[in-house]
Amino acid sequence: MRNVYDYAGYNLQVCLICDGYEMADKKVGVFASTAGNAEVVFPLGWFTSEITLFTQGLFEVNDELGQKIQQQGYQIIETPVEQFLGEDHQMTGVELTDGRVIELEAGLISMGSKYHAQYLDTFDLEKKGGNLVTDKMARTSHPRIFAIGDLKVGLNQVVIAAADGALAATQIWRDIRRSQPPKAANTDRVLR
């Protein structure tokens, strides 16, 4: 999508949890890359009833999802977006590749994530969906492999990944300390 970065972080958001309140009672476009990512329209409905799903022609909306979207009164547009429209970092709509202009007041990009973790496929790690299952200290089903951030089941936010990293580092330190006996006291030294 051309010029997406002109509006990203202003009124074109990427996190429903963080920024959903900013879309309250506004005409919102959801830009999705898969049917799974398109499902964000339903929790977005907590904030606004004026939602248009843009598939970009990247996927077909199956009958079940299409019916659910229509029952909520949301629109579906399959034509790809040519560019975002607006001024001073405030998106006002999109121009489609067929020349149509759709007016919007806010947007939510739900394009999913691409994980570069194929190297982990060589391990027999427990997964849920495409994410690794971890314990409360970020340890996977392998005792020496930890997962943080987007790789693990849970919220995909930077602040969560940082906290996961602190938990994993703490557990790794504990494991190392437990594997090494404490240093013996120096009995040659006399305290006075």
Side-chain angles (χ1 to χ4, degrees):
M1 295 178 284
R2 198 170 92 202
N3 72 336
V4 66
Y5 294 109
D6 292 344
Y7 307 102
Y10 293 94
N11 66 339
L12 183 58
Q13 309 297 343
V14 295
C15 181
L16 174 65
I17 294 168
C18 301
D19 305 308
Y21 72 94
E22 291 189 29
M23 295 176 256
D25 302 319
K26 293 184 179 176
K27 189 173 184 178
V28 178
V30 172
F31 305 91
S33 62
T34 67
N37 295 333
E39 301 243 355
V40 74
V41 298
F42 302 115
L44 180 59
W46 298 331
F47 299 102
T48 184
S49 61
E50 295 186 66
I51 299 172
T52 302
L53 171 64
F54 293 88
T55 70
Q56 308 283 346
L58 297 174
F59 64 96
E60 284 191 35
V61 176
N62 64 37
D63 290 339
E64 181 183 346
L65 178 59
Q67 287 175 358
K68 285 173 61 177
I69 289 171
Q70 288 177 353
Q71 286 172 351
Q72 295 297 317
Y74 307 151
Q75 293 182 28
I76 301 171
I77 295 179
E78 297 178 283
T79 306
V81 171
E82 177 69 29
Q83 67 178 337
F84 289 92
L85 304 173
E87 289 183 24
D88 298 323
H89 302 293
Q90 293 301 303
M91 180 199 53
T92 58
V94 293
E95 177 186 347
L96 304 177
T97 55
D98 63 9
R100 288 183 291 159
V101 171
I102 310 298
E103 291 183 13
L104 300 168
E105 298 172 286
L108 180 65
I109 298 175
S110 182
M111 301 301 280
S113 299
K114 171 93 172 114
Y115 305 119
H116 301 282
Q118 297 82 1
Y119 63 94
L120 293 172
D121 293 341
T122 60
F123 299 96
D124 185 25
L125 300 173
E126 182 182 354
K127 291 184 179 180
K128 182 175 181 183
N131 299 89
L132 296 171
V133 174
T134 61
D135 65 14
K136 66 181 182 180
M137 297 302 282
R139 186 189 311 263
T140 67
S141 55
H142 186 288
R144 295 188 62 188
I145 297 176
F146 292 76
I148 64 172
D150 295 358
L151 289 177
K152 68 182 242 350
V153 173
L155 295 175
N156 295 339
Q157 297 174 319
V158 172
V159 70
I160 302 295
D164 290 343
L167 291 170
T170 299
Q171 188 59 52
I172 292 167
W173 179 83
R174 287 176 181 165
D175 291 350
I176 290 169
R177 297 307 304 156
R178 287 181 185 137
S179 69
Q180 299 172 355
K183 295 190 184 274
N186 185 348
T187 56
D188 295 337
R189 213 168 69 182
V190 178
L191 297 176
R192 295 178 199 229

